[in-house]
Amino acid sequence: MGLALVHGRARAGVSAPPVQIEVHLGGGLPSMSIVGLPEAAVREAKDRVRAAIQCAQYEFPQRRITVNLAPADLPKHGGRFDLPIALGILAASGQIPMEPLRDCEFIGELGLTGELRAVDGALPAALAVAPTGRGLVVPAGNGAEAALAAEVDVRCARTLLEVCALLARGRELPRAAAPEAVRSPGPDMRDVRGQAQARRALEIAAAGGHHLLLVGVPGCGKTLLASRLPGLLPDASDAEALEAAAIASVSGRGLDPARWRERPFRAPHHTASAVALVGGGAEPRPGEISLAHQGVLFLDELPEWDRRALEVLREPLESGVVTISRAARQSEFPARFQLVAAMNPCPCGWAGDASGRCSCGPDAIRRYRARISGPLLDRIDLHVDVPRLPAAQLRPDAPEGEPSAAIRERVAAARAIQAARAGTVNARLDQAATMASCRLRERDQRLLEQAVESLRLSARSMHRILRVARTIADLAGSPEIATAHLGEALGYRSLDRSPAALAA
């Protein structure tokens, strides 16, 4: 009778809870069973493990083998348990020593030849191993990704035989090495001609972390502007970059370890479902809002989106997390993204254009804009009209816009002021911090109250106006919010006007 214990990691959302793989060899007819809530891919491991052990020139025990994946109430998914199951069988049968298994954790899928194949979620597993003091052995295909967790001794193996040589004979495995970080140039603001107000709004959005809505006729440059916002944001900190990289690691779409520091930019098509946005599935995966964590989510043609899909954004816009509930458990994914949306002013797209080609009546415009709910608009800080540019400003020899690098310096300076004052960007201030950081002079307070009454704004909109005004003051280096700062912030609420004004 033999018993062995091997340490591994499951995948639950973006976390990697520990799993103990217990292998027992007993008497009876030869068989192998896996218990502990394994799904189909885990149950099929017994066939992969048997072939891999035999191809590695080890003996597969002809005994009753019971594999327990503890804790028993945690669902187990994928092929990540193949390697620890194989090692447990070899240790329980006395073919490799048990002592070295105590100091390492193992994840990896086995091929029939004993080859180790990469699995999802190697980075969250490495981050979770760090506090335990153990090492981590991963397939060679996961080495660069797992090495981003600098505090863990991560070793790479190509085959089961190499791992057995480490445990049985102390033969060293190569240490995983993260590739040198590469930053791609990305789209630059110098390509944007004219559009002074939209450029200014983009700078304010970057400085304060504010959500932005661009409203303009087709071809006026809304997508061009939105794609340049990531280039205005400061570099992500190590913690922020690792959070975003961990989400990409478990998404199934893969992670490029050389670009893990780049802020994500996600632009799903308007036919995407609510599940595609927030995530889900029988084994919950992150959706677009989580893949945009610490970056930018761009939603083009906003009124064309299914309303039910848009409404699921309301809570994550406030809380920065999304919780996916299933019958047995919940999975929580970070979703601290910056929303940039774009829309036409009317169904035909030309309302308000100087050409006068719009044929939409006031009722049609009202119905079109009513596709976006008031509570969602409330959560978008900046509403900006983007006009059509004269043809002369689009000439190849027309003056270029200000480059992104210069704007990013001002954004970084404003964010440094916010970090020193409140520890976060202005858009994430709670109500108490907003009242403390965004005080107005009595005259300006009356101006704000008059605007709130005339535009029939909600309390949430009023607080967002105050935060935008605070960001404008920070960009100007002003310790107080002046009348000009408040007036500019009020000017960015164009969609809060009355329906008659919108249709005019």
Side-chain angles (χ1 to χ4, degrees), residues 51-120:
I53 288 177
Q54 292 172 345
C55 286
Q57 303 301 310
Y58 285 97
E59 179 185 353
F60 188 82
Q62 297 302 309
R63 303 173 67 180
R64 185 178 180 86
I65 304 172
T66 304
V67 179
N68 180 38
L69 307 177
D73 62 343
L74 177 69
K76 318 301 188 304
H77 305 276
R80 61 196 306 110
F81 301 106
D82 290 5
L83 176 59
I85 289 173
L87 295 176
I89 292 172
L90 293 175
S93 60
Q95 299 181 71
I96 61 173
M98 294 189 187
E99 286 73 17
L101 295 175
R102 300 173 183 170
D103 301 324
C104 280
E105 297 193 13
F106 305 86
I107 60 172
E109 179 182 330
L110 285 172
L112 298 184
T113 62
E115 174 192 8
L116 280 176
R117 293 172 178 162
V119 296
D120 293 340

Side-chain angles (χ1 to χ4, degrees), residues 427-438:
R428 300 177 193 168
L429 296 176
D430 58 24
Q431 183 174 350
T434 300
M435 295 297 100
S437 303
C438 307

Side-chain angles (χ1 to χ4, degrees), residues 201-251:
L202 211 62
E203 181 176 342
I204 294 170
H210 302 288
H211 305 305
L212 172 66
L213 174 62
L214 302 171
V215 184
V217 301
C220 65
K222 301 185 294 294
T223 303
L224 185 77
L225 286 159
S227 64
R228 276 136 183 85
L229 179 57
L232 305 184
L233 301 176
D235 292 336
S237 65
D238 286 350
E240 291 174 338
L242 282 173
E243 270 191 343
I247 295 170
S249 176
V250 303
S251 68

Side-chain angles (χ1 to χ4, degrees), residues 369-392:
R369 298 196 177 187
R371 296 179 187 176
I372 308 169
S373 69
L376 180 60
L377 281 178
D378 251 3
R379 289 166 167 82
I380 301 178
D381 305 343
L382 304 167
H383 309 163
V384 182
D385 293 317
V386 185
R388 180 167 59 94
L389 291 177

